[in-house]
Amino acid sequence: MNQIFEKLQPYLEKEMAFSTALTLMDWDMETLAPKEAVDYTSKAVGVLSQERFSSIINPEVKKILEQLEGEKGLNCFECAVVKKLKKEYKKTEKISKEEMREFSELTSKALHAWQKAKKAKDFSIYAPYLEKIIVFKKKFAEQGKEEGQTLYDVLLDDYEEEFDEKVLDEFFSKLKEKIVPLLKKIEKQEDIEDSFLFFDYDEEKQEEFNRWLAEYIGFCFDRGVIAQSEHPFTTALHNHDVRITTHYYKNNLASALLSTIHEGGHALYEMGVDDEFTQSIVGGGASCGMHESQSRFFENMIGRSVPFWKPIYGKLKGIFPKQLENVGLEKFVKALNKVKADFIRTEADELTYCLHIMVRYELEKQMINEEIDVKELPKLWNEKYKEYLGIEPKDDTEGILQDIHWAMGSIGYFPSYALGNAFAAQIYHQMKKDLPIEELLEKEEISKIVDYLREHIHQYGASKDAREMLKDLTKEEFNPDYYIAYLEEKFKGVYGID
Amino acid sequence: MNQIFEKLQPYLEKEMAFSTALTLMDWDMETLAPKEAVDYTSKAVGVLSQERFSSIINPEVKKILEQLEGEKGLNCFECAVVKKLKKEYKKTEKISKEEMREFSELTSKALHAWQKAKKAKDFSIYAPYLEKIIVFKKKFAEQGKEEGQTLYDVLLDDYEEEFDEKVLDEFFSKLKEKIVPLLKKIEKQEDIEDSFLFFDYDEEKQEEFNRWLAEYIGFCFDRGVIAQSEHPFTTALHNHDVRITTHYYKNNLASALLSTIHEGGHALYEMGVDDEFTQSIVGGGASCGMHESQSRFFENMIGRSVPFWKPIYGKLKGIFPKQLENVGLEKFVKALNKVKADFIRTEADELTYCLHIMVRYELEKQMINEEIDVKELPKLWNEKYKEYLGIEPKDDTEGILQDIHWAMGSIGYFPSYALGNAFAAQIYHQMKKDLPIEELLEKEEISKIVDYLREHIHQYGASKDAREMLKDLTKEEFNPDYYIAYLEEKFKGVYGID
């Protein structure tokens, strides 16, 4: 180990320990902790978060980083850590402790107001808090702005390095151009029959199959846990303790199946990180978008395909023989691919999903770069839903109030969901050249697909950024055309459109 | 809040946050974490433990404590915290960081060796480590020794304040005098029929009943969790998040029942601590012994009594009608009270339990106060088992190697198990004067018993010590005679001895 870098170790160790604890506490509160625990345990979480922060953001670490400036003898791991630390400094250094505290108090109140507003279906309860959040975020962005950047670019960079609104504008304008008309065409086609997915499915039997399914795609129970929570999510203490959750609905078979495969995709990423990077600040995925690419790849390209279900659909039918009595493989998979414009992003089908993101992207960009009146948001939201998805939310809860992100202060996060899909399509395009995917799926050799992703993506953790990884694998810069082409080809096929 | 005391707050807050995290990590590793996680997560635990320690043991806190010397305006909570902090300082201050690290490494190796030895049934693998542990503990005791104390007294004080070997010698000599002959008499009586407890009992049905049973005695699921682990235990993040585990055995009905009631007793204690003390260093139980008194009270005085089972035995029978077909209430409870001298402490019946502790107490006292050859321990152990329990272990695993405590460096801990039983009997004796216990149990009003314990014990957390609490409640110093009288009366009754 480099001698100057070594001086960072005690600080990095503390950061690792605090992060591990916080991850577990968070997991526990979502899955197991009793009702009354939250108010008390949150106090401990607050103190630990502050400790985590100051374990790496402090004058001593800053001094070591200055000593490391221009240092040549760093290995790949050390370089990645130093780069990440510098980024953290850049992001936070200009913000005073006072501002940080104020902002944290504001988002805590905003979350409260958002919950209240959502319950009351009344955006105006939450609007004043969102207004203040925007003011703060613009100020933070202003402080971190570099030449050539828009304010929104600065915020975006928190979630997706090396991406800016220029790239995203191009991406979303292509989506708008191609997918909005495609959706209109699809809506003129005959509806896909999927009523059987909503019959009665015993939750315990669902659980049994989903646990098996997770293992089938490569989830390893020696280094992972599956539990249940209100909303499915993935988290990791480190690469040897990766946890996902599912939610079983008695009257919805597909929901848990697809969420298991989706979260399973996230989990395989975390499990695949090399031991060299684990338990460090570069021990997780490269970016939100790259993480989402892995979950979406498994959910959509794999989990909604005939070759994937071909060898295992019989097992599912064996567990639910009555419910799936007259449902053949093709019919089952077709139902999983049904398109229907609806209001809630998290329940959207594969095709309309990116249109939901487009609405949010356009609005948050406007909020940051332009002077729009926050009070106008519900109206603007509803207009965009009408324009892109052809539907209009009947109230704020079905519309502008559905997502938690802005209330948490996360602005610039939404695009990574769409980018994830586009990364997945670009990776898929390359993978098809390198692997006989359909054949592997039919032969139950999905592990070869996982190995491929591990080799090209997972193993690196966050030691390379998403753009770099994508380029190294596909020999090309990020190119959204693959995603558009994929969606067009797939859904024209599903709906029999020329 | 006292102005000087207030300066302690940031340190106490950190200690609270680190402790909460460590408690959860520990719970998680015992109940849920995947197999491969331990090696990695332990690193985080190591760092956090060190941080927890230095959050309160540092020059700044020491200075504040000095400023608080003689300060009059402290309230009950503040006094208790200061007293506890001073004790921590006294215990650790004379030990250098170097010694601390060495000792921690030693116990880590000793644990490893103990596991290996236990597997190989060979004490000699572990003996050299235990020898070194004894040397360390003697040195630590020497450093902390005050006038009039023996070395063993110093160690004992870590677990049971205000107790010393003089009190314990008297206690155990009475036990030896009365219980050893009683056991001999019992062994001449006819065996109690309990074979039905070992029929096939479906684990899921056991779980269902045990969860109900926990709630029946007062465990509140809004502020508690029940999970499964290899060995049952209780832990608490704070008084609003108290967790117990049980282990279900297909061929042993009583094991889970009694462990649920036992751990339930611990849990009620933690849940009953007043909010004034929670999330502080005096937020748990008063001492190991007092904690054990609550679990043993519920397990033995309540859980092994006819009045307790009278209103609920029908429910259990309803779940296992075939297995309990010819078993009436009296027969069932009698079986729960069967006495049989056996080798393993954790599986011992109520009567022989304290004899197991006596063996350990005598040996660890000798190890610390006298020069005994560690190599002789298995021989000495077996001799004492022969003398007190009338049986001789066939190998080291069944004998000297069964407990983890010494390998962890816990010497002076064992007596608190026996003290717990004796505290329970003294409390029980008083409670019988104050409450119609049998009537309450038969009327399913166990909550009045819990309220009584909360009022006199639970609510105080560790703001009073065990001896003080016992005296305030029973108007008498610790008196082991109640325990002996209780055992004699009960088991003469069970076995029909005059």
Side-chain angles (χ1 to χ4, degrees), chain A residues 28 36 40-41 238 240 243, chain B residues 28 36 41 238 240 243:
Chain A
D28 184 77
E36 289 188 20
Y40 296 79
T41 307
H238 42 69
H240 291 262
R243 305 180 179 204
Chain B
D28 185 78
E36 289 188 20
T41 307
H238 42 69
H240 291 262
R243 304 181 179 204

Side-chain angles (χ1 to χ4, degrees), chain A residues 13-14 16-18 20-21 24-25 27-28 32-37 40-41 43-44 47-48 51 204 220-225 237-243 275 278-279, chain B residues 13-14 16-18 20-21 24-25 27-28 32-37 40-41 43-44 47-48 51 204 220-225 237-243 275 278-279:
Chain A
E13 262 190 358
K14 280 186 203 175
M16 174 280 290
F18 299 148
T20 307
L24 182 62
M25 289 164 104
W27 156 272
D28 184 77
L32 185 66
K35 210 169 78 179
E36 289 188 20
Y40 296 79
T41 307
K43 283 184 213 162
V47 176
L48 270 170
E51 288 296 304
E204 272 182 39
C220 168
F221 282 98
D222 278 350
R223 55 202 289 183
V225 172
L237 273 67
H238 42 69
N239 63 344
H240 291 262
D241 190 344
V242 180
R243 305 180 179 204
D275 268 352
T278 193
Q279 297 193 293
Chain B
E13 262 191 357
K14 281 186 202 176
M16 175 279 290
F18 300 148
T20 308
L24 181 62
M25 289 164 105
W27 155 271
D28 185 78
L32 185 67
K35 211 168 78 179
E36 289 188 20
Y40 295 78
T41 307
K43 282 185 215 162
V47 176
L48 270 171
E51 288 296 305
E204 271 180 41
C220 168
F221 281 99
D222 277 350
R223 55 203 290 182
V225 172
L237 274 68
H238 42 69
N239 63 344
H240 291 262
D241 190 343
V242 180
R243 304 181 179 204
D275 268 353
T278 193
Q279 296 195 295

Side-chain angles (χ1 to χ4, degrees), chain A residues 43-62:
Chain A
K43 283 184 213 162
V45 168
V47 176
L48 270 170
S49 303
Q50 184 52 45
E51 288 296 304
R52 193 207 74 81
F53 179 80
S54 47
S55 68
I56 48 169
I57 306 293
N58 61 54
E60 293 86 33
V61 170
K62 196 180 169 191

Side-chain angles (χ1 to χ4, degrees), chain B residues 375-439:
Chain B
K375 288 182 199 71
E376 297 293 304
L377 276 177
K379 198 176 134 273
L380 295 172
W381 178 286
N382 292 0
E383 283 168 8
K384 285 186 192 291
Y385 263 78
K386 184 85 196 152
E387 187 187 343
Y388 305 151
L389 287 116
I391 53 174
E392 211 165 343
K394 68 173 183 305
D395 57 44
D396 294 345
T397 298
E398 207 169 70
I400 183 84
L401 286 172
Q402 68 184 269
D403 295 305
I404 198 173
H405 303 61
W406 293 341
M408 291 171 72
S410 299
I411 294 177
Y413 188 111
F414 282 121
S416 42
Y417 290 125
L419 283 174
N421 283 310
F423 293 172
Q426 187 166 343
I427 292 166
Y428 186 46
H429 182 261
Q430 179 66 37
M431 194 191 278
K432 279 197 282 193
K433 291 188 209 161
D434 299 333
L435 289 180
I437 301 179
E438 294 198 3
E439 198 189 311

